Amino acid sequence: MLAADFFVFITILSAANSMETSAPKTLNTTSGSCLLIPCQFKISKENEKYLDLSPVGTWRTWSSAHRQMQPLINVVGDLRKKNCTSVMMNLTSQHSARYYFWLSVKNFNVSSNKALRIGVSDSLAEPYVIVPRLREGEVGNLTCTVPAPCPSNPPNVTWDPALGGNITRLIQMNADGTQNVSAILNFVPSFHHHELNVSCVSMHLLERQDKPLPSHKTVILNVEYAPKETQISSGWLGNNVTLTCQSNANPPAVHRWFVKKEDIVEEVGASRVLSFTVTHNNSGEYICEAQNQHGAGKSTILQINVPGMSFTPFLAVLALFSLPLCAIPIVLTYRRSKKVHISETNQDQDIYANVSSSATKGHQSNTYGNKEETCTVDPEYTFEKNLSNEDIYANC
């Protein structure tokens, strides 16, 4: 520090004991804008007489690097009432420094004992956004707040998209005397708004530019809602079926399965996936229920019918009363005649789907020697091994 600067600094410290200021410790603004400085001061009783002599106030920085570029300052407070509120105008980033309030009248000069740190940036900080817990059907408020350092040119704050709601704009006074501008979006959320990007956009009008300076903050909405679009999907592997319960819910739903047989309903599962082997005992009307803390949703009915006797007793009877080689085409014919009917019922229509259909019989005949034989062969099955006519019809 230079000797002259050090002497001025010591002088200020000696005078600081007679003046105490109340102002924010730090204030920030944007290059090209102005800055409101809320300020109050106190001086000793013996010096209050000078307040009636039209004192002059200003803000000064004691750094030699900034002394030649003092900003334009307008004291808007009534100094006679110890109000030192001021406005700095046409600020640039070079005006960032520590400032002291200075009061002078005739031969009386006094400086504040506390420094005010002023920061001037070429860019804007993003808005401050508050998003509450959102539930479908309940009114929600999204709040976006930005500083308003220059009261003569407050920023224009809005929401995009507005989600079909109403936007209320407020200018708020903080406890330290600074101001904020808020935009409150009032709307009724639905499940369509879940995971939607919504932005708070702030446009700052600058004193030295015709083009405003924008800033924005984007949030992703989290809307809670009861299960919707609950439905059943099915998959088959041989005689095994897998039923999956699908639903759209936030938070994710838990699932339960019910089956109705002869007007009796019982719960058969408590998971998203239900698997079982298709038998006559598993015939019935299947329905799944998805539930979370906001409600429940049920699927349409999935009808599964498996008629006829079970396959195992049929094989036992067939082994006792049929020849082994002739049992093969008979078993194949039985299995292909067994039908599993699945239908899904909703409010509009019934949908029926046959998982398998009856096999179609074909007849082939051939003359071996002087004798004509007829054997039934399933046309949907082929044999990789080439047999002679004698081998084929010997099996019949």
Side-chain angles (χ1 to χ4, degrees):
M1 180 179 294
L2 298 178
D5 290 338
F6 181 77
F7 175 77
V8 172
F9 183 72
I10 294 299
T11 303
I12 294 302
L13 287 181
S14 62
N17 294 328
S18 59
M19 184 177 188
E20 180 181 352
T21 55
S22 175
K25 293 182 178 180
T26 303
L27 289 175
N28 298 301
T29 188
T30 305
S31 179
S33 183
C34 70
L35 177 64
L36 174 68
I37 305 174
C39 178
Q40 301 287 332
F41 69 88
K42 295 179 181 180
I43 58 176
S44 61
K45 289 290 185 179
E46 60 270 21
N47 290 330
E48 287 185 356
K49 60 184 179 182
Y50 293 107
L51 298 180
D52 295 328
L53 302 177
S54 299
V56 176
T58 189
W59 292 85
R60 294 179 181 177
T61 178
W62 306 115
S63 170
S64 58
H66 294 83
R67 198 175 302 160
Q68 302 300 324
M69 55 182 69
Q70 290 282 106
L72 181 62
I73 299 172
N74 183 20
V75 178
V76 296
D78 190 347
L79 296 177
R80 292 174 299 178
K81 297 180 180 180
K82 304 176 186 178
N83 187 334
C84 49
T85 299
S86 308
V87 177
M88 290 185 178
M89 294 169 285
N90 295 329
L91 292 170
T92 68
S93 58
Q94 294 178 342
H95 291 130
S96 298
R98 295 175 56 170
Y99 290 82
Y100 296 84
F101 184 72
W102 181 277
L103 182 68
S104 63
V105 54
K106 290 188 176 181
N107 295 326
F108 174 73
N109 297 298
V110 64
S111 176
S112 60
N113 60 347
K114 296 179 181 178
L116 167 63
R117 178 71 174 88
I118 293 179
V120 184
S121 174
D122 292 328
S123 60
L124 292 172
E126 65 181 16
Y128 177 68
V129 173
I130 298 177
V131 180
R133 185 178 181 182
L134 299 175
R135 301 177 182 87
E136 184 177 40
E138 299 181 8
V139 177
N141 294 319
L142 307 183
T143 304
C144 177
T145 303
V146 298
C150 184
S152 60
N153 290 315
N156 181 25
V157 187
T158 189
W159 284 93
D160 184 33
L163 306 177
N166 299 319
I167 299 177
T168 304
R169 296 174 179 85
L170 301 174
I171 297 180
Q172 301 168 317
M173 183 72 69
N174 300 318
D176 60 1
T178 58
Q179 294 182 4
N180 293 330
V181 175
S182 296
I184 303 174
L185 173 60
N186 180 280
F187 75 111
V188 179
S190 77
F191 77 101
H192 296 290
H193 296 140
H194 182 55
E195 297 184 341
L196 181 68
N197 289 342
V198 183
S199 297
C200 170
V201 181
S202 174
M203 304 296 292
H204 293 247
L205 302 176
L206 304 182
E207 292 181 328
R208 302 191 304 172
Q209 297 181 13
D210 295 333
K211 185 178 181 180
L213 185 63
S215 66
H216 74 280
K217 170 78 172 181
T218 300
V219 294
I220 301 176
L221 300 185
N222 180 39
V223 181
E224 298 182 3
Y225 53 92
K228 303 178 184 298
E229 303 170 354
T230 305
Q231 56 185 344
I232 300 174
S233 62
S234 60
W236 292 81
L237 182 61
N239 288 332
N240 296 322
V241 63
T242 299
L243 304 181
T244 303
C245 189
Q246 299 174 326
S247 62
N248 178 14
N250 183 41
V254 295
H255 302 88
R256 294 192 301 167
W257 289 92
F258 300 89
V259 63
K260 181 179 180 181
K261 301 178 181 179
E262 299 178 354
D263 297 330
I264 299 176
V265 179
E266 62 175 324
E267 184 174 347
V268 293
S271 61
R272 184 168 173 266
V273 178
L274 180 67
S275 300
F276 55 89
T277 301
V278 177
T279 65
H280 178 67
N281 293 331
N282 289 328
S283 295
E285 298 178 353
Y286 286 80
I287 190 171
C288 74
E289 180 186 76
Q291 184 175 19
N292 64 10
Q293 64 209 55
H294 300 293
K298 292 184 179 181
S299 70
T300 56
I301 296 174
L302 182 67
Q303 178 74 51
I304 297 181
N305 289 328
V306 185
M309 63 182 295
S310 64
F311 184 60
T312 302
F314 178 81
L315 287 180
V317 174
L318 189 65
L320 292 175
F321 297 100
S322 302
L323 294 176
L325 292 179
C326 291
I328 296 176
I330 298 176
V331 171
L332 294 176
T333 301
Y334 167 78
R335 293 189 63 181
R336 301 188 65 81
S337 64
K338 183 180 180 181
K339 298 180 181 179
V340 178
H341 297 280
I342 298 180
S343 63
E344 184 173 359
T345 306
N346 54 30
Q347 297 178 352
D348 298 326
Q349 61 180 349
D350 295 339
I351 302 173
Y352 297 93
N354 292 331
V355 175
S356 63
S357 59
S358 300
T360 303
K361 298 292 184 173
H363 296 276
Q364 295 182 0
S365 62
N366 189 34
T367 302
Y368 178 69
N370 296 325
K371 182 179 180 181
E372 181 174 334
E373 302 259 351
T374 301
C375 180
T376 302
V377 181
D378 192 329
E380 294 187 14
Y381 289 85
T382 59
F383 298 87
E384 296 183 358
K385 183 177 179 181
N386 295 324
L387 301 177
S388 64
N389 290 339
E390 181 178 1
D391 293 333
I392 294 175
Y393 292 99
N395 292 332
C396 297

